Amino acid sequence: MPEVNVNGHAYAVHGAVGTTLAEALRDELSLTGTKVACGEGHCGACTVLVDGIPTLSCITLVHAVDGAKVTTIEGLRDHPMVYSFVRADALQCGFCTPGQIISAVALVDSKAAPSTEEIRHAMAGNLCRCGAYPKIEEAIRTWQD
Amino acid sequence: MRDIELRQASSTTDVDGATPIHGGTEVVPLIRAGLLKADTLVDIRGVIPRGIDGARIGAGATLAELECDPQVPAALREACKLAASPQLRNMGSVGGNLLQATRCWYWRLDWPCRLHGGDECFARDGEHREHAIIANDFCASAHPSDVAAALLALDATLRTNRRELPIADLYRLPTEDDRRTTTLESGELILELNVPEPEGSVYLKAMERKRWAFPMVGVAAARSSGVTRVALAGVAPIPWLLQGGLDQATPLPRNAYKLDVAKTLVQRAETALNGG
């Protein structure tokens, strides 16, 4: 049975082999902030941090993160990036937003003031079907304001 | 989903009869789509080398690690940087990247095509905008690996748990008798890549959008001892070493544009290498 530390809490996960991290988070731990859109690793909605690295939880087997430290959007409740997304109005439907914020937080953790090119490179794996990209870019550019 | 067993590999010879899994970016979607039937998965992350030491690259290194390491030749760095998405580059190993399956939609939708053992290539008479323009007679699938094209141009060699081989020998065109596109045997694992330092190298990629797309056409070029090797992604069922130009191409009615793109990118790559 894999043990996963999610947002600072240790959990033993019961799912069968083949259960994805996204399914375990949402269905077993009721952490529904992590969204599943494409379910096949293309869109980035399901992005979480695994040991600090943006990872697609919909194609990660929960048994493969045994012992790892997972951060979901619920664990970033008080992160300034959340408020920056609100300030910049960086969403319309909001479904991709948890994944966007996870990727954005990992980016500014590695570089507090990334360039536009660096933002676009690091955020390329988070698709937004509402097309809020300019506002998302603005939120990341101004997160320390 | 059927019951699957997962175990940790204790050594590189401990994978017989099981499906190896490393980053999972290929294996997990294929299992979930029903295209890969696996009763036993063996997690090989603990036994595959992953460091980068000069010309030697552990097959477990992620694309994200390769894209920013100055020891890595420019063509390979750029191919990694332009491949997939940041999350996939964080997760996927370079060894696994070389073994990824085609993006051909007929294959992905499990049509009984030649790659699946059937007797028809549906893409040839169907939708083949993104398909192969070279060696596409039997099967018109296009090989999606940017990284493989770069390594082919760089004349890399691979070390597996059973042999050493030039990367060109990892791939084979599917035939009536054998539909596989690689020569890797059951239980064989890619452990390490040896990538000689070229005098210069470059990777250029045309995609349908600027980021996060499989190659429409990818062109890698590397010069060593004054000789330039050019290899292409997205144009044939396997990564394609260009020998004798592109006149051998046999584009299909709706993908002839790829030939123009390939010719232009080859010319640009050669110009870039010659400092033009």
Side-chain angles (χ1 to χ4, degrees):
Chain A
M1 190 183 302
E3 291 203 4
V4 188
N5 183 306
V6 184
N7 303 328
H9 302 279
Y11 297 95
V13 180
H14 297 85
V17 173
T19 303
T20 65
L21 176 56
E23 288 166 344
L25 290 170
R26 291 179 54 83
D27 303 339
E28 197 171 328
L29 307 182
S30 298
L31 293 170
T32 53
T34 299
K35 304 302 181 197
V36 176
C38 75
E40 51 185 24
H42 293 300
C43 76
C46 68
T47 305
V48 299
L49 300 178
V50 174
D51 294 329
I53 295 173
T55 300
L56 299 168
S57 64
C58 80
I59 57 166
T60 296
L61 299 181
V62 70
H63 289 70
V65 293
D66 188 12
K69 193 167 163 275
V70 175
T71 305
T72 69
I73 189 66
E74 288 90 346
L76 298 176
R77 199 176 291 275
D78 298 318
H79 197 286
M81 188 62 78
V82 175
Y83 300 98
S84 193
F85 267 64
V86 173
R87 261 200 321 274
D89 201 11
L91 54 126
Q92 287 181 42
C93 83
F95 201 79
C96 71
T97 310
Q100 299 279 1
I101 291 176
I102 295 279
S103 287
V105 165
L107 170 62
V108 300
D109 272 355
S110 66
K111 189 168 186 185
S115 67
T116 297
E117 177 53 34
E118 285 165 339
I119 292 172
R120 291 180 180 181
H121 186 61
M123 299 300 294
N126 291 85
L127 307 187
C128 168
R129 52 129 279 172
C130 303
Y133 298 112
K135 298 284 192 181
I136 293 167
E137 210 174 288
E138 181 189 327
I140 299 170
R141 234 177 21 241
T142 61
W143 76 284
Q144 296 185 99
D145 292 358
Chain B
M1 200 184 311
R2 55 210 259 149
D3 285 343
I4 303 174
E5 187 194 329
L6 174 73
R7 62 183 174 82
Q8 303 293 320
S10 59
S11 73
T12 57
T13 53
D14 175 33
V15 294
D16 283 345
T19 301
I21 180 167
H22 197 279
T25 59
E26 174 81 351
V27 169
V28 175
L30 290 182
I31 288 175
R32 292 175 69 80
L35 290 167
L36 179 63
K37 315 274 191 282
D39 294 319
T40 307
L41 294 174
V42 56
D43 187 341
I44 55 171
R45 286 177 299 175
V47 299
I48 302 290
R50 67 178 295 167
I52 304 169
D53 179 14
R56 293 195 2 236
I57 296 171
T62 63
L63 270 56
E65 286 162 351
L66 292 182
E67 78 173 89
C68 58
D69 193 313
Q71 300 175 83
V72 173
L76 181 54
R77 249 187 295 132
E78 197 64 15
C80 290
K81 188 178 171 184
L82 292 172
S85 70
Q87 295 95 320
L88 290 166
R89 296 194 298 271
N90 288 338
M91 298 164 71
S93 66
V94 63
N97 181 285
L98 300 180
L99 300 175
Q100 66 186 300
T102 179
R103 306 308 303 182
C104 172
W105 35 66
Y106 295 102
W107 187 85
R108 293 261 160 190
L109 293 171
D110 210 10
W111 286 42
C113 71
R114 285 193 171 128
L115 272 192
H116 280 309
D119 54 11
E120 189 177 344
C121 172
F122 298 95
R124 284 192 61 85
D125 295 322
E127 291 299 326
H128 51 237
R129 225 184 93 75
E130 302 188 358
H131 286 68
I133 57 168
I134 298 174
N136 55 2
D137 187 45
F138 183 73
C139 160
S141 68
H143 199 276
S145 175
D146 301 296
V147 173
L151 290 170
L152 194 51
L154 289 161
D155 207 7
T157 53
L158 307 179
R159 183 169 65 82
T160 76
N161 52 352
R162 297 190 186 155
R163 57 183 168 150
E164 282 191 27
L165 67 161
I167 186 169
D169 291 353
L170 177 63
Y171 298 104
R172 63 180 302 282
L173 285 168
T175 59
E176 187 66 42
D177 298 336
D178 187 346
R179 310 298 169 93
R180 293 175 305 164
T181 54
T182 79
T183 62
L184 213 66
E185 295 162 16
S186 172
E188 188 173 19
L189 299 174
I190 302 173
L191 302 181
E192 195 175 72
L193 290 61
N194 195 308
V195 187
E197 177 70 33
E199 289 153 25
S201 71
V202 64
Y203 186 72
L204 303 175
K205 179 178 180 181
M207 327 180 226
E208 292 219 327
R209 55 187 179 210
K210 269 191 176 172
R211 292 165 211 275
W212 181 194
F214 290 97
M216 182 186 277
V217 177
V219 172
R223 194 180 54 228
S224 290
S225 310
V227 177
T228 299
R229 279 167 64 96
V230 177
L232 291 86
V235 301
I238 57 175
W240 198 256
L241 183 67
L242 196 61
Q243 289 165 311
L246 280 159
D247 293 340
Q248 62 192 308
T250 50
L252 301 166
R254 282 175 292 284
N255 70 6
Y257 76 97
K258 276 197 177 191
L259 183 54
D260 296 331
V261 175
K263 281 179 179 166
T264 304
L265 290 187
V266 168
Q267 196 173 43
R268 284 186 195 167
E270 285 172 344
T271 307
L273 274 189
N274 294 325

